[in-house]
Every structure is written in structure tokens, then in C-alpha cells.
Amino acid sequence: MANNGLPESNKVSDPSERPTPILQNIVSTVNLDCTVDLKAIALHVRNAEYNPRRFGAVIMRIKEPKTTALIFSSGKIVCTGTKTQQHSQLAAQKYAKIVQKLGFDIMFKDFKIQNMVASCNVTVPLSLVRLGNSHYKFSTYEPSYFQG
């Protein structure tokens, strides 16, 4: 850590140098092209939890790559937690294989990166209100939801 509390990877030594965004999280989806029994998955998979009163999907985790997936009865999977597109696809394939091993006739279809979250040190203070107002056509900023 530097004196200003920022990681060395986010420091900009030359003010004319452009800061580099660093990927923090990737969210992807895949369709298994079949319906799945969420209770059966939760009962037979070690790192799976299912509480239908609380949420209508199985929450499953794997250690490598370290990710969390939401598995819906429609056969759709939402995978989150990776920092590369390759790891996101690998994780989605691992979740699909786990479901397949339980006897479901799956196909790995329509894998898609849905969202990427990155962070960057721009080295100057920003007014989020002014930034949101000046780019209102493609951005929003709600201070009551995210205070900066």
C-alpha cells in the first residue's frame, strides 16, 4: 500500500499517463436447455443451498475458480465472481458438469458475459452528481443508494 491508501497497481506515477481499469467481477449466464429439479441439486451437491421461501434458485459455490452461481429451475445459470472471461466460462462449464452428473440431460448453450465491474484510480476528485447530470442519457447516480 502506498501512503495515500491506494494499492500500488492503481497508482499513476505520471499525471499524463492514463489510468488502467482493473476488472473486479464478471457476471455471465448460460442456458442448460432443460429444466432441473432444484431440490435434487441441493440434496446431492455439497456446496449448494436452497431455500425456496427466501429465493427461487439454488445457490452453489465452487473453489476454483472461486465463484458463486444461481441455478434456476428453468436451467438458466448466473455465474459471478471471476476476474477474467476465460475463468467465467470455465466456472459456468463446471457448474453445468455438476448438474449433468446428477442425471440431467443438459446442453451448454448461449454462454454470455452480462456485466463487467472494474475499478480505476483517476487521481483527481470527481463530482458524481455533476458527472451523472452531464451524462444523463446513459448514466444515473442516486446518492441515497450509493454515496460514493
Side-chain angles (χ1 to χ4, degrees):
M1 286 282 214
N3 294 354
N4 60 2
L6 296 172
E8 291 294 323
S9 61
N10 262 357
K11 276 186 63 180
V12 178
S13 54
D14 179 4
S16 65
E17 188 179 317
R18 294 182 72 120
T20 305
I22 299 168
L23 278 174
Q24 301 296 331
N25 186 34
I26 294 177
V27 178
S28 62
T29 57
V30 68
N31 185 356
L32 300 182
D33 203 34
C34 72
T35 58
V36 295
D37 181 354
L38 299 180
K39 286 181 185 176
I41 293 172
L43 287 172
H44 294 96
V45 177
R46 178 183 304 197
N47 295 321
E49 58 185 81
Y50 179 52
N51 184 345
R53 289 187 197 135
R54 207 168 127 224
F55 189 63
V58 166
I59 302 169
M60 189 184 301
R61 293 175 177 84
I62 58 174
K63 290 183 180 179
E64 194 57 42
K66 186 177 177 185
T67 55
T68 300
L70 303 176
I71 303 174
F72 295 89
S73 61
S74 64
K76 298 219 167 65
I77 297 178
V78 178
C79 181
T80 184
T82 65
K83 294 188 181 198
T84 69
Q85 295 178 43
Q86 294 81 6
H87 283 155
S88 188
Q89 184 160 5
L90 175 63
Q93 289 169 331
K94 286 186 174 186
Y95 288 114
K97 189 169 188 169
I98 290 168
V99 173
Q100 185 179 38
K101 283 184 176 181
L102 294 176
F104 297 101
D105 187 24
I106 66 131
M107 289 186 60
F108 193 85
K109 288 180 59 177
D110 305 324
F111 175 83
K112 183 178 179 184
I113 300 294
Q114 297 290 344
N115 190 27
M116 299 173 115
V117 176
S119 64
C120 186
N121 177 13
V122 294
T123 71
V124 295
L126 296 175
S127 169
L128 297 178
V129 172
R130 284 186 21 213
L131 191 64
N133 289 340
S134 61
H135 298 285
Y136 66 91
K137 288 185 179 178
F138 49 85
S139 69
T140 58
Y141 174 60
E142 283 293 335
S144 59
Y145 294 138
F146 181 74
Q147 298 176 1

